[in-house]
Every structure is written in C-alpha cells, then in structure tokens.
Amino acid sequence: MPTEVALLESPALRVEQMGRVEALDKVKSLVMLPDGIHLRTEDVARYFEVSTAAVRRLTDRHQPELTDNGMKVLRGAELRTFHSDMLSLWKGEGPGSYPQASTQLRLYTRRTVLNVAMLLRDSDIARSVRTHLLDAEEDLRALYVSLERRVTRIEGCLLGVGSALQELGPVLGRMSQRLDSLDRKLDVTHQAVGEIGLRLTDVPRDVVRLDARMDDFSRRLRDPGRRTDG
C-alpha cells in the first residue's frame, strides 16, 4: 500500500488517484465559481486553509503537472469573456460583488485541486484528503483480495464440475445407444401394428361371408329333404 510520503513524492502514484475527486467533498465542502467547474487561487487557498501565496508557490513549482490536470491562466480577451460569462451566472447582490482579476486569472478544476491536495504538505485539510485516498485505496485492495479469493473458489468448483462432466460422458454415451436401440424397436413395432391394421380391415368381409355360410348351413339342417332332392 502506498504511504503519504510516497504520494507526495511520486507523480505516478498521484496519476493513479487523479480520478477520485469525490475525496475533496468528503473532507470539506468545495466552493466553486458560478459555472460549477472552476475555482480561483484564493478559493483553493480558502479550501486548504492556507495563504494564497502558499498556493501560488506550489503551482509555480509544479506547473506542468497541474496544467495537465486542468489548471490554466486566462489573459486579455479570454479573461474578459470569462468574466462576462461569470457575471451572467453570478447570484450575488450585483456585478460589483463578483471579484474580477484585472490582468490575469489562474483557474483550477476539481481535478487540479485534488492534485494540489497530493502536493501541499503544510495543510491539515490536504493531509485529510490524502488519508482518505489512502484508506479508500486500502479498502479497494481488501475488496480486490476478497474478490480474488471468491474467483479462486469458483474456479475450484468449475474444476469439480469439469471432472464430473468427464465421468458423465460415457454414461450419456451408453444412454444414447440404448435410446437408439429403443427407437429401432419402436419402428419395428409400428410396422407390425400397421400390418395388423391392414389385416383387420379384411375381418368384416370374412365375417359377412361366414354369416352367409352359417345361414345356408342352418337352412339345410331344417330341410334335409330339399338337400336330398337337389
């Protein structure tokens, strides 16, 4: 598990944590500019409870890293456009209540503020943010270990299922052979039943002929002289 010192010293470790901006609001409410996206240097200093000079010194030392994570400096026409946009969103008592920088304005995003929290040494708020990140990292690692164990158990169960299926294979093969044999016997039975059905269709005619012969035989028994004369 990374330590606080490692987080302060290692850009690579900071990159790994850079997406977890929710840690900021878990430690302290972060007050944004009216656009809900940016903060000024004094807003960042107020959040970390340090001087604006301390924040400026840190941003000067780590400008490339912070710029990669959303920090930018506005000047000239770009600054005037930004102020105009902010004034249209400002909910204060009037235009004069929105503080406007005269020559340049350094802006930060939540991602940049999290970056500052992982660099700023002399701030209890920054330390709390780092502690939250490291504790959450430890919880995540514990969850990963637990998940890995569960996956290992599932893999073990699947191995058992595989062995059972291998043993079941020959049994299924024999059952398939017996079913095939039963199908053949059923086919023979159906053929025999069909032949019997054909023969049964001749039975009514045979019965009629037999009835006629019996009637004739009965008449002859009743009239033996007629048979003799004939």
Side-chain angles (χ1 to χ4, degrees):
M1 174 182 173
T3 64
E4 183 179 359
V5 173
L7 197 60
L8 287 165
E9 299 295 339
S10 172
L13 289 177
R14 292 194 290 272
V15 169
E16 291 179 3
Q17 303 293 332
M18 201 56 67
R20 299 171 59 193
V21 295
E22 75 283 353
L24 298 169
D25 288 314
K26 289 183 179 297
V27 174
K28 182 181 177 182
S29 179
L30 190 62
V31 180
M32 314 293 291
L33 286 175
D35 63 355
I37 299 174
H38 297 101
L39 302 89
R40 301 160 302 169
T41 302
E42 49 266 43
D43 300 322
V44 176
R46 188 177 302 111
Y47 176 82
F48 289 112
E49 299 177 3
V50 297
S51 66
T52 55
V55 175
R56 289 194 184 97
R57 286 195 299 270
L58 184 139
T59 54
D60 288 340
R61 288 197 305 270
H62 300 278
Q63 185 170 351
E65 179 178 339
L66 294 168
T67 300
D68 288 341
N69 286 300
M71 188 182 75
K72 59 184 177 180
V73 178
L74 302 183
R75 299 181 180 87
E78 190 176 18
L79 177 59
R80 290 191 295 272
T81 299
F82 181 81
H83 280 321
S84 176
D85 292 340
M86 290 303 100
L87 284 171
S88 66
L89 298 171
W90 191 251
K91 303 299 182 182
E93 297 179 357
S97 63
Y98 171 71
Q100 300 184 45
S102 56
T103 57
Q104 68 176 32
L105 177 64
R106 185 171 293 182
L107 293 175
Y108 306 74
T109 64
R110 286 179 175 271
R111 190 179 177 94
T112 321
V113 177
L114 182 62
N115 200 163
V116 172
M118 290 187 283
L119 291 167
L120 190 59
R121 297 176 182 268
D122 299 325
S123 167
D124 291 337
I125 300 299
R127 279 191 289 270
S128 295
V129 173
R130 291 193 292 270
T131 298
H132 179 81
L133 290 174
L134 295 173
D135 288 346
E137 179 77 10
E138 179 62 21
D139 292 343
L140 184 61
R141 289 177 184 272
L143 179 63
Y144 174 79
V145 170
S146 175
L147 180 61
E148 187 176 25
R149 289 173 181 168
R150 292 175 64 185
V151 170
T152 300
R153 287 198 298 269
I154 292 172
E155 288 176 344
C157 293
L158 290 177
L159 288 175
V161 171
S163 301
L165 289 176
Q166 288 179 350
E167 296 174 359
L168 188 60
V171 176
L172 294 175
R174 291 193 295 271
M175 290 181 63
S176 178
Q177 292 175 355
R178 294 179 63 183
L179 290 173
D180 290 341
S181 175
L182 182 60
D183 284 341
R184 289 192 294 270
K185 291 179 180 179
L186 287 174
D187 288 339
V188 173
T189 301
H190 288 158
Q191 292 175 359
V193 170
E195 293 173 358
I196 291 172
L198 291 175
R199 294 181 63 182
L200 287 176
T201 58
D202 295 333
V203 170
R205 291 194 297 271
D206 293 340
V207 170
V208 170
R209 287 196 300 269
L210 181 60
D211 284 343
R213 294 179 64 183
M214 290 296 293
D215 290 342
D216 182 63
F217 182 70
S218 177
R219 287 192 299 272
R220 289 181 181 181
L221 287 176
R222 288 195 302 270
D223 190 7
R226 182 181 177 183
R227 184 187 58 179
T228 303
D229 294 342

